Amino acid sequence: MNKKSVRDLDVQGKRVLVRVDFNVPVKGGRVTDDTRIRRALPTVRHLLSEGARPILISHLGRPKGEPDPKYAMDPVAHCLGELLNHQVMKLDAAVGPEVEEELEKWDGRGVVLLENSRFYAGETKNDPDFAQQLASLADLYVNDAFGAAHRAHATTVGVAELLPAAAGLLLEEEIDYLDTVLREPERPFVAILGGAKVSDKLGVIESLLGKADRLLIGGAMCFTFFKAKGYEVGDSLVEDDYLEEAKRLMQEAGDRLVLPVDVVVADRMEEGAASRAVEVNRIPSGMMGLDVSLGTVGLFRGYIDDAKTIFWNGPMGVFEIDAFAGGTEGVAKAVAASEATSVIGGGDSVAAVRKLGLEDEMSFISTGGGASLEYIEGKELPGVAVLPDRED
Ligand code: ADP
Ligand code: MG
């Protein structure tokens, strides 16, 4: 990545405001999945070992621009303290005189965690006053929140314009892996796309068709393509507004676009529904396609086995229900077994890989759902664009 890195900063004795992505699930006052906190630790540890005074800030959930105890950062502070093995001083505000006072009293050990940035309306509006208040707390700024880099908010963009800024280690790693996929993939490069909607992923399909040797399509979105081909798709999820677009994509892509050959159909999207496998041009009326079936997994596995680079976004079926999880499991196992550089992006895709315990078998799992897709689409991420280039 050509952006200045936290490693290039002289941080000794400095207050460093670090935008992290601690937007984690919380239930009953406890963090139920600490992945995002763990992924931010390398940057925090680097800063501590260099003698910096890290001041961390993140958003959590979707409070409406004012304090809401439901979204307070206390559970995150507790979890961070356990993982980091250093003192975490959690403050009850993100800016203002009380924060400045606490920071003056701070003995400089451990880290400070500020309160939820979205307790302030200025955060999502990228309000200059709020950004200025944040900037006044620190000497330097580091952005390690890849998952929020597609948002032009005060903590991702505003404050980066006011302080000497750099990218954190996770942000750097995310961009480097996605660049491997986008810019210099070792070939064959196989992209796998699934999930619910074609409309969500049109930009991603378009971008990947320009780069990948094969684009394997599963999930609900394949039924829009099948309907565009003139097949009966029963009650499967179809976006009728996108039939022309699907036709155009199939024409442009030719045999680089690979669709399923068989699917699992059922009369209801429920555990225990009577289900069976059918060929894709024989979906009975009244039934809906909820997963890809064995023939498709075998077909996809052939491409995956030969691949040198793999990007995967979107489950192959309704993996939340065991009866329709087989396609996603089969593809996940094939990707896990492959020697290729494999990058997994997207909230539900990552959840599926985790559920199968295959995270460690993948080369890289992105922490950014929306951010990784926007980057793959070729969009500029405001939180990255604002960072200064490396001087070398
Ligand atoms: P990601 O978060 O990885 O980008 P999406 O949000 O696009 O993925 O899609 C995930 C959702 O798609 C899952 O909730 C899954 O149940 C749903 N899905 C996958 N296949 C089908 C299908 N055939 N019919 C209906 N929903 C599906
Ligand atoms: Mg999703």
Side-chain angles (χ1 to χ4, degrees):
M1 170 185 200
N2 68 341
K3 294 294 180 180
K4 195 165 194 172
S5 158
V6 60
R7 279 178 292 225
D8 304 327
L9 295 177
D10 177 11
V11 298
Q12 164 73 38
K14 302 267 175 61
R15 287 188 190 172
V16 185
L17 182 70
V18 190
R19 177 44 156 113
V20 285
D21 180 6
F22 286 171
N23 184 27
V24 290
V26 173
K27 235 192 203 146
R30 297 218 142 246
V31 173
T32 56
D33 179 351
D34 61 6
T35 308
R36 283 181 164 164
I37 301 177
R38 280 189 287 111
R39 299 284 294 270
L41 294 180
T43 294
V44 177
R45 291 214 169 98
H46 168 82
L47 288 168
L48 287 172
S49 73
E50 296 286 309
R53 300 172 160 221
I55 302 169
L56 312 182
I57 187 160
S58 174
H59 76 283
L60 175 65
R62 291 175 178 262
K64 298 190 169 64
E66 56 185 62
D68 179 345
K70 222 169 66 201
Y71 298 109
M73 297 299 283
D74 300 72
V76 173
H78 179 78
C79 179
L80 175 65
E82 283 186 342
L83 291 170
L84 194 60
N85 251 319
H86 280 274
Q87 163 190 300
V88 175
M89 181 162 92
K90 192 260 162 186
L91 304 187
D92 294 330
V95 292
E98 323 90 81
V99 171
E100 275 160 35
E101 229 167 84
E102 294 286 344
L103 290 178
E104 281 309 315
K105 283 193 284 180
W106 182 20
D107 61 7
R109 286 187 307 151
V111 303
V112 167
L113 177 63
L114 299 176
E115 189 47 279
N116 194 337
S117 61
R118 289 205 191 161
F119 283 5
Y120 300 82
E123 164 70 326
T124 55
K125 288 188 207 139
N126 190 12
D127 173 64
D129 290 335
F130 182 55
Q132 184 55 56
Q133 282 185 289
L134 285 166
S136 71
L137 303 177
D139 306 301
L140 303 166
Y141 169 80
V142 167
N143 188 354
D144 209 25
F146 178 72
H150 58 317
R151 309 271 184 230
H153 291 172
T155 57
T156 58
V157 170
V159 68
E161 289 169 332
L162 299 172
L163 287 174
L169 302 175
L170 172 63
L171 186 92
E172 243 182 332
E173 199 184 13
E174 293 267 7
I175 298 287
D176 284 343
Y177 266 103
L178 292 173
D179 278 345
T180 309
V181 170
L182 286 176
R183 303 226 171 113
E184 49 203 62
E186 215 187 316
R187 297 189 180 277
F189 168 26
V190 172
I192 311 164
L193 283 183
K197 291 185 174 171
V198 187
S199 52
D200 278 354
K201 310 266 167 98
L202 220 51
V204 178
I205 298 177
E206 197 98 42
S207 166
L208 288 172
L209 270 179
K211 297 175 193 332
D213 297 292
R214 302 280 171 185
L215 180 53
L216 317 181
I217 301 243
M221 64 164 86
C222 70
F223 300 103
T224 299
F225 287 94
F226 287 137
K227 185 157 180 192
K229 273 161 111 52
Y231 295 176
E232 295 295 332
V233 295
D235 290 342
S236 307
L237 206 62
V238 166
E239 287 174 281
D240 283 311
D241 292 346
Y242 288 87
L243 295 174
E244 286 309 313
E245 198 67 16
K247 261 186 217 160
R248 182 181 66 79
L249 287 168
M250 285 189 289
Q251 231 154 37
E252 268 175 38
D255 64 0
R256 287 184 302 126
L257 193 111
V258 183
L259 290 166
V261 290
D262 55 4
V263 291
V264 175
V265 295
D267 57 353
R268 291 170 289 140
M269 196 190 294
E270 266 170 43
E271 196 70 70
S275 68
R276 62 192 154 100
V278 298
E279 288 171 36
V280 290
N281 54 358
R282 289 167 195 268
I283 298 174
S285 70
M287 304 285 267
M288 54 181 104
L290 295 172
D291 194 11
V292 301
S293 191
L294 293 176
T296 304
V297 171
L299 174 72
F300 285 8
R301 192 191 298 123
Y303 292 113
I304 292 168
D305 284 347
D306 289 340
K308 289 279 191 330
T309 306
I310 297 170
F311 174 76
W312 180 17
N313 165 268
M316 295 290 103
V318 184
F319 74 99
E320 299 92 336
I321 299 175
D322 283 346
F324 313 115
T328 303
E329 179 172 352
V331 166
K333 284 185 170 158
V335 176
S338 115
E339 301 281 302
T341 300
S342 49
V343 178
I344 321 295
D348 293 291
S349 325
V350 171
V353 168
R354 284 176 58 89
K355 196 171 159 192
L356 293 162
L358 293 172
E359 304 137 275
D360 293 343
E361 316 302 319
M362 310 300 180
S363 307
F364 190 74
I365 298 203
S366 178
T367 54
S372 57
L373 290 183
E374 287 196 18
Y375 197 71
I376 292 281
E377 275 182 58
K379 288 190 188 151
E380 185 171 73
L381 305 181
V384 176
V386 71
L387 300 175
D389 289 341
R390 187 190 285 147
E391 312 148 11
D392 45 13

